[in-house]
Amino acid sequence: MAKRILVSGGAGFIGSHLCTKLVQDGNDVICLDNFFTGAKKNVEHLIGYTNFEIVRHDVIDPFRAEVDEIYNLACPASPIHYQYDPIQTTKTSVYGALNMLGLAKRVRAKILQASTSEVYGDPEVHPQPEEYWGNVNPIGIRSCYDEGKRCAETLFMDYRRQHNLRIKIVRIFNTYGPKMLAHDGRVVSNFILQALNNQVITIYGDGQQTRSFQYIDDLIEGMVKMMDTEDNFTGPVNMGNPVEFTILELAQKIIKLTNSKSEIVFLPLPHDDPKQRKPDISLAKEKLNWEPTIQLEEGLLKMIEYFTKNHIQ
């Protein structure tokens, strides 16, 4: 049965893929976005569908609609964008969560929070299970995002305890794919652009820090599965690819796949940059029967094709 679904941040990288999936499944979808990092072109292929509408709105202000489900994705996710206006970033995470939770409470909608692996900070436990409380600097340059997302999780759990709201929380690890902003400072898009243009590939630190890279299609499947779970299961649930790579390995793989002449240069590591990041996805396997199926090389080839086809420089 078709549902009426609100996606805040729906014109962003993840949000636009989610809107596409939900529309194609026959749901009525409202895409909410202020277009700070989202873009209309990300959802232009959906304009004209009778079950899709797009609304310019900032989630720090209340929004009213009659909906069955809400996916709360609104927040800049790359360091360049969330550090550009850190106070606004915290407002988006905290006020945005409050306003979406308030809407869910009024209309008794089920609501999912797109949280992040950044809630684990620079982890001292590896890989990171959901039970780990994290190692986060509360006053650093990344805190606006890290602590904003942690506070949003707190609000979701308190609305659950205080108002019996039907909530879901997913913690998203590094995700990549088509429609990523080209110059947002995230490592996969950075390396691909540099390689395609035969520019030097810039690695911060010695390149031995690790990340786990999840293709966007796997994440979208996991989020929809999470929303469809029984009401007594709230999460949080890690969503990421547990196959771990060093940043140096990623750069070398991208150079090979693009036949690039790029050389690698090493620059100082940014403050509070995590040394390792890898999800424990045991809970997602158990509760959602979910795990990533698209491995790094396959996903990178799709993203390289997208950047090449769209002449992204």
Side-chain angles (χ1 to χ4, degrees):
M1 184 172 131
K3 293 170 285 191
R4 190 160 168 79
I5 302 174
L6 174 67
V7 181
S8 74
F13 163 49
I14 295 175
S16 60
H17 285 274
L18 178 61
C19 283
T20 300
K21 163 72 172 168
L22 296 173
V23 167
Q24 289 175 345
D25 286 349
N27 300 289
D28 283 320
V29 176
I30 303 173
C31 168
L32 207 65
D33 211 293
N34 69 350
F35 304 111
F36 173 55
T37 57
K40 289 180 182 176
K41 67 180 180 181
N42 286 342
V43 291
E44 64 183 358
H45 61 289
L46 299 176
I47 294 170
Y49 279 76
T50 57
N51 57 332
F52 177 78
E53 57 186 298
I54 185 167
V55 179
R56 181 188 291 271
H57 183 84
D58 194 318
V59 292
I60 68 170
D61 298 315
F63 182 76
R64 292 183 178 274
E66 297 297 322
V67 293
D68 303 305
E69 294 178 352
I70 301 168
Y71 288 83
N72 185 39
L73 277 63
C75 191
S78 76
I80 286 176
H81 291 127
Y82 68 63
Q83 290 170 16
Y84 172 76
D85 188 344
I87 294 172
Q88 187 71 10
T89 296
T90 304
K91 281 184 174 180
T92 301
S93 287
V94 178
Y95 292 170
L98 280 168
N99 286 325
M100 291 297 105
L101 286 163
L103 171 60
K105 180 188 169 190
R106 282 193 299 275
V107 300
R108 304 310 300 171
K110 189 189 296 187
I111 181 168
L112 181 145
Q113 167 67 6
S115 191
T116 171
S117 60
E118 301 296 338
V119 300
Y120 299 121
D122 189 3
E124 297 173 333
V125 173
H126 192 74
Q128 295 81 57
E130 290 85 354
E131 295 80 15
Y132 177 50
W133 290 357
N135 176 39
V136 177
N137 177 0
I139 57 171
I141 59 171
R142 300 169 68 102
S143 308
C144 57
Y145 184 70
D146 300 3
E147 296 289 26
K149 289 287 192 177
R150 285 163 70 94
C151 185
E153 286 195 18
T154 301
L155 288 166
F156 267 67
M157 293 305 297
D158 284 337
Y159 263 78
R160 166 75 173 181
R161 287 183 281 255
Q162 194 167 332
H163 301 296
N164 200 30
L165 202 62
R166 295 178 296 155
I167 69 155
K168 309 288 176 184
I169 300 171
V170 296
R171 290 176 177 163
I172 300 171
F173 283 68
N174 285 54
T175 305
Y176 68 98
K179 299 183 183 176
M180 284 188 83
L181 285 173
H183 301 285
D184 68 357
R186 287 192 269 195
V187 65
V188 176
S189 50
N190 264 14
F191 286 1
I192 288 176
L193 282 176
Q194 290 168 341
L196 288 173
N197 292 307
N198 293 308
Q199 299 169 341
V200 294
I201 289 185
T202 50
I203 291 181
Y204 296 93
D206 61 6
Q208 294 309 304
Q209 66 270 41
T210 66
R211 296 293 184 271
S212 305
F213 300 101
Q214 163 180 238
Y215 191 69
I216 183 66
D217 292 358
D218 284 330
L219 171 63
I220 298 305
E221 181 193 0
M223 292 176 74
V224 172
K225 280 191 168 189
M226 181 61 177
M227 182 65 97
D228 290 342
T229 55
E230 296 295 324
D231 292 347
N232 61 359
F233 180 61
T234 64
V237 175
N238 288 336
M239 288 196 173
N241 194 322
V243 181
E244 194 173 14
F245 294 89
T246 68
I247 296 300
L248 180 58
E249 286 174 328
L250 175 69
Q252 291 167 338
K253 188 176 284 286
I254 288 172
I255 288 172
K256 180 181 176 183
L257 292 175
T258 54
N259 296 312
S260 177
K261 298 181 177 64
S262 294
E263 296 182 357
I264 295 171
V265 299
F266 298 89
L267 299 175
L269 194 67
H271 191 57
D272 289 341
D273 191 62
K275 291 181 286 295
Q276 52 188 9
R277 196 54 73 61
K278 175 183 176 179
D280 179 335
I281 62 168
S282 305
L283 188 62
K285 287 181 179 179
E286 176 193 346
K287 296 290 189 180
L288 310 178
N289 191 29
W290 174 89
E291 62 181 313
T293 60
I294 299 171
Q295 297 310 313
L296 184 61
E297 187 163 320
E298 179 187 353
L300 288 175
L301 285 169
K302 291 182 180 184
M303 193 165 170
I304 290 165
E305 180 186 6
Y306 170 80
F307 274 28
T308 304
K309 183 179 176 181
N310 289 277
H311 307 291
I312 296 172
Q313 298 287 317

